[in-house]
Amino acid sequence: MTSLTTTAATGRPIDDLLAGYAAGTLAPPLRSLVAAHLALKPENRAYVAALEGLGGIAIEDTPPCAIANRDAKLAAIFAAAEQPVRSVKPPECAIVPAPLAQFLGRPLADVPWRRRLPGIREFHVKGAGEAEAVLYWINPGRVMPSHTHDGSEVTLVLRGGFSDVTGHFRRGDIAIADAELDHRPRADEDEDCICFAVTDAPLRLTGTVGRIVQRFFGH
Ligand code: ZN
């Protein structure tokens, strides 16, 4: 399974994820997730393009703990960020950006949602390999069952937003949860929340309700 921490050791999981994308080391579901993120957040394309440009220097020749080199690298990235990015397309207006729609293999209107809990629907995408790729549709204000993960969980918000102990995430944002995090994501009150989540391993529900409904999530 492709790890999130294979490349540039910047310390922030999101940077590692973008670096993995730039280096071409992400598994297909994560690659689609990041491509969709970049469609929704064009400002990060320059960052990724800079990482691609740095290529071998950034990833292979820089000692992981060389802070001075890291600063130089970041300076180069920010300088590059001010340059126009090649092949920039207009932002996608659809809820599901094209790179992700391609991975899903169907438009959102044709997704065969399954209702797992009141106000929460999900669709497990085939072809995710060892990872688990799931679309969630959460009604306004609904709370996901409390859970942890055996590995990483990377979530891209496609519509609306949600909050958990790590922050508030809106359309285009990526939330990254590791195995340490026990959280209960809550959808914003004003809108349905649609998310695409990729996990290394199935969720483990933790609360009292979670233990009761575990069987509904089990496969
Ligand atoms: Zn989670």
Side-chain angles (χ1 to χ4, degrees):
M1 160 81 218
T2 303
S3 164
L4 295 185
T5 53
T6 49
T7 51
T10 58
R12 292 197 316 162
I14 184 74
D15 291 340
D16 290 342
L17 187 64
L18 293 176
Y21 178 81
T25 58
L26 298 181
L30 274 182
R31 192 162 63 233
S32 307
L33 186 152
V34 174
H37 164 73
L38 295 175
L40 295 172
K41 297 273 185 182
E43 62 271 24
N44 272 352
R45 289 178 188 161
Y47 180 86
V48 170
L51 285 175
E52 284 173 337
L54 287 168
I57 299 169
I59 292 160
E60 291 166 15
D61 299 339
T62 305
C65 297
I67 299 302
N69 282 359
R70 183 189 138 193
D71 287 348
K73 186 168 67 181
L74 288 175
I77 287 169
F78 290 131
E82 288 163 13
Q83 305 295 320
V85 182
R86 56 190 152 77
S87 70
V88 172
K89 295 175 189 165
E92 295 284 342
C93 294
I95 290 175
V96 180
L100 183 54
Q102 212 166 8
F103 179 72
L104 297 178
R106 68 188 80 214
L108 198 58
D110 292 345
V111 168
W113 296 101
R114 294 182 66 181
R115 185 171 170 276
R116 293 293 191 172
L117 288 168
I120 300 174
R121 282 170 281 178
E122 64 180 44
F123 169 62
H124 289 253
V125 187
K126 290 190 168 51
E130 293 174 44
E132 182 128 35
V134 184
L135 264 185
Y136 290 103
W137 183 323
I138 309 164
N139 287 1
R142 298 304 299 195
V143 182
M144 294 282 287
S146 183
H147 64 270
T148 57
H149 327 93
D150 286 330
S152 304
E153 175 186 62
V154 182
T155 304
L156 172 69
V157 182
L158 298 168
R159 179 183 174 184
F162 75 85
S163 302
D164 68 8
V165 289
T166 65
H168 181 223
F169 305 92
R170 300 284 303 173
R171 173 168 163 83
D173 291 339
I174 288 179
I176 300 179
D178 63 20
E180 308 293 310
L181 182 70
D182 185 338
H183 68 160
R184 301 175 70 218
R186 172 192 288 273
D188 289 357
E189 298 286 345
D190 58 346
E191 200 177 356
D192 286 332
C193 178
I194 299 178
C195 294
F196 177 63
V198 178
T199 51
D200 291 350
L203 308 183
R204 281 188 289 116
L205 304 184
T206 49
T208 309
V209 173
R211 282 191 289 276
I212 294 167
V213 300
Q214 177 77 68
R215 59 205 163 96
F216 292 113
F217 281 78
H219 305 293

